[in-house]
Amino acid sequence: MTSTDTPRITDAELRAQFPLLHQKLGRYDLVYLDNAATTQKPQSVIDAIAHYYTRDNANIHRGVHQIATRATEAFEASREKVQRFLNAAHKEEIVFTSGTTDAINLVAQTWGRADLMPGDEIVVSEMEHHSNIVPWQMLAQEKGAVIKVIPVTATGEWNIEALDALIGSRTKLIAVNHVSNALGTINPLHEVVSRAREVGACVLLDGAQAVSHFPVDVQALDCDFYCFSAHKLYGPTGIGVLYGRRQLLETMPPWRGGGEMIDRVSFSGTTYNKPPYKFEAGTPHIEGVIGLGAAVDFVQSLGWDAIHQRENELLHAATERLLRIDGLKIYGTSSRKVGVISFLAEGIHPYDLGTLLDNQGIAVRTGHHCTQPLWERFGIPGTVRASFAPYNTIQEVDTFVSALEKSIDMLR
Ligand code: PLP
């Protein structure tokens, strides 16, 4: 399934790796189409976590006994896997956080508090998740900084023409998503990164919706920070990653104080550890990090070609079928999209549709998807969102579309 010399894994073989998928909701087989909210976990991830607790459970880094050594080695091996996964230059550039939200808050509370001055500008886009808006609003309020917003077009893409007016000598940070969770749009990052370089601004990329769909290379992207959550990459909840350029992490002050993040503690003055440990106070989410390492292995075993091919098939099949439904409108029609479809059926509230779909075994998301400013731009409160993963099948797309047609008929 990965390349021409690797045989393509069958649907059944792939689905067999995901125990949760094999269940009924009432009398219906589950059709899980809420992958942008969180992906399901392969057995290899579940096994890696179980193995840690059954064989290797100990606190990491300072123990001399063998169990602690094994736990530490497994934990740090995951850091190296993530380094390679993002093509970061150094493993010290990989900081474990509790997720994307936590990673963005870390940058706001360390880099932001130390470096931002009154009147400095932070550029975000209209399609950001709330977690890439609110931390900057809180910071801007504290520091007297100003938030500027890249507008979104009717097709759900950045209005690139607006960039010249938005990015200038006062811009200190551009914080934008790589892929929109609400629209599926893959954003043209080179446009903002090159302008950021011209004015000397930092770039933070929210990769929460990107890392499961295509390879990410932080050196090629030339970003300063990149964030993602393991649970959207077939890994566990409560664990995520902040990639930070080494020179920046070295000069940024610590955020949370406690064990592990120190060099030496004394009442006459405390000194701090080096990155990444400077930002990892306290006992970390050890099994989460180990599970994340297994999730990276899983994605690599599947291969990007196969992931891309399968998700594209699902996206195109579903889009084509949905567009045939009378009065149905898709929000986010860029030609560069991942497998996310946000839509509304005329005259029907998204919650009603979501509930009827659930009654037929189909899990989709309804509501604002944590992007209220985006829906304000479109003049709607939210949408129904179906999002795909490679373990979904064309048959599931058909089941979903038939159930949707039936639900719309019932509600009209
Ligand atoms: N950014 C984007 C684009 C997202 O889709 C999400 C979650 O849906 C987040 C950030 C927040 O991720 P988490 O809740 O895992 O911190």
Side-chain angles (χ1 to χ4, degrees), residues 80-121:
E80 285 170 26
K81 283 180 194 174
V82 173
Q83 177 203 347
R84 289 193 294 275
F85 183 66
L86 295 179
N87 193 31
H90 311 281
K91 78 175 166 75
E92 294 76 15
E93 296 180 319
I94 304 302
V95 179
F96 290 120
T97 65
S98 71
T100 309
T101 306
D102 194 39
I104 295 171
N105 277 280
L106 191 162
V107 176
Q109 293 301 314
T110 59
W111 176 87
R113 279 175 112 179
D115 285 32
L116 230 59
M117 307 293 281
D120 283 349
E121 293 174 0

Side-chain angles (χ1 to χ4, degrees), residues 36-38 98-104 127-132 177-182 206-209 228-232 238-239 369-371 385:
T38 199
S98 71
T100 309
T101 306
D102 194 39
I104 295 171
M127 65 168 85
E128 295 313 309
H129 189 279
H130 295 163
S131 64
N132 200 25
N177 61 36
H178 197 165
V179 171
S180 159
N181 64 307
D206 168 358
Q209 296 292 338
F228 74 90
S229 305
H231 71 94
K232 294 182 196 286
I239 185 73
H369 319 303
C370 297
T371 56
R385 183 185 69 186

Side-chain angles (χ1 to χ4, degrees), residues 26 44 78 94-95 109 123 138 191 217-218 222 246 253 278 291 320-321 327 344 356 366 412:
S44 57
S78 281
I94 304 302
V95 179
Q109 293 301 314
V123 175
M138 291 162 71
E191 303 278 358
D217 180 335
V218 290
D222 192 24
R246 185 157 74 175
K278 181 167 73 173
E320 193 197 300
R321 288 163 175 70
L344 278 183
L356 285 194
T366 55
R412 275 203 179 131

Side-chain angles (χ1 to χ4, degrees), residues 101-386:
T101 306
D102 194 39
I104 295 171
N105 277 280
L106 191 162
V107 176
Q109 293 301 314
T110 59
W111 176 87
R113 279 175 112 179
D115 285 32
L116 230 59
M117 307 293 281
D120 283 349
E121 293 174 0
I122 300 168
V123 175
V124 298
S125 88
E126 209 169 15
M127 65 168 85
E128 295 313 309
H129 189 279
H130 295 163
S131 64
N132 200 25
I133 298 176
V134 183
W136 307 121
Q137 287 179 322
M138 291 162 71
L139 178 68
Q141 201 166 24
E142 184 186 324
K143 305 290 290 189
V146 177
I147 309 264
K148 298 255 173 144
V149 184
I150 304 171
V152 165
T153 65
T155 54
E157 294 166 288
W158 289 341
N159 181 351
I160 296 296
E161 277 151 35
L163 289 185
D164 285 340
L166 288 170
I167 300 171
S169 58
R170 305 263 20 198
T171 311
K172 284 290 166 318
L173 175 73
I174 302 178
V176 288
N177 61 36
H178 197 165
V179 171
S180 159
N181 64 307
L183 304 166
T185 315
I186 304 172
N187 286 309
L189 298 180
H190 55 277
E191 303 278 358
V192 295
V193 175
S194 58
R195 280 176 171 84
R197 295 294 159 245
E198 280 161 29
V199 299
C202 267
V203 175
L204 176 141
L205 301 177
D206 168 358
Q209 296 292 338
V211 288
S212 65
H213 298 294
F214 47 77
V216 168
D217 180 335
V218 290
Q219 295 186 74
L221 286 170
D222 192 24
C223 57
D224 299 293
F225 301 106
Y226 197 96
C227 323
F228 74 90
S229 305
H231 71 94
K232 294 182 196 286
L233 182 74
Y234 314 103
T237 53
I239 185 73
V241 168
L242 169 69
Y243 156 81
R245 213 186 272 279
R246 185 157 74 175
Q247 301 88 312
L248 275 170
L249 292 182
E250 274 167 1
T251 55
M252 278 157 54
W255 177 20
R256 298 186 176 119
E260 192 64 39
M261 52 78 74
I262 54 88
D263 168 38
R264 192 174 156 68
V265 177
S266 148
F267 285 113
S268 59
T270 289
T271 52
Y272 303 117
N273 208 337
K274 294 188 177 66
Y277 308 110
K278 181 167 73 173
F279 303 106
E280 294 179 354
T283 300
H285 186 5
I286 305 171
E287 82 275 21
V289 168
I290 290 170
L292 167 58
V296 167
D297 289 342
F298 165 76
V299 169
Q300 279 162 351
S301 74
L302 208 53
W304 289 119
D305 289 349
I307 291 171
H308 179 73
Q309 192 182 333
R310 167 49 57 89
E311 288 184 354
N312 254 1
E313 278 166 15
L314 295 164
L315 174 66
H316 289 121
T319 305
E320 193 197 300
R321 288 163 175 70
L322 289 182
L323 286 176
R324 282 194 225 133
I325 299 177
D326 223 22
L328 186 142
K329 179 167 177 186
I330 293 179
Y331 292 84
T333 52
S334 168
S335 58
R336 296 193 70 232
K337 272 185 76 170
V338 300
V340 168
I341 307 181
S342 254
F343 62 91
L344 278 183
E346 202 180 359
I348 299 177
H349 196 282
Y351 289 141
D352 294 337
L353 263 187
T355 306
L356 285 194
L357 286 169
D358 177 57
N359 291 344
Q360 296 166 82
I362 293 158
V364 292
R365 189 135 298 240
T366 55
H368 56 63
H369 319 303
C370 297
T371 56
Q372 285 177 337
L374 176 70
W375 302 128
E376 205 176 301
R377 181 253 175 262
F378 282 104
I380 57 173
T383 63
V384 181
R385 183 185 69 186

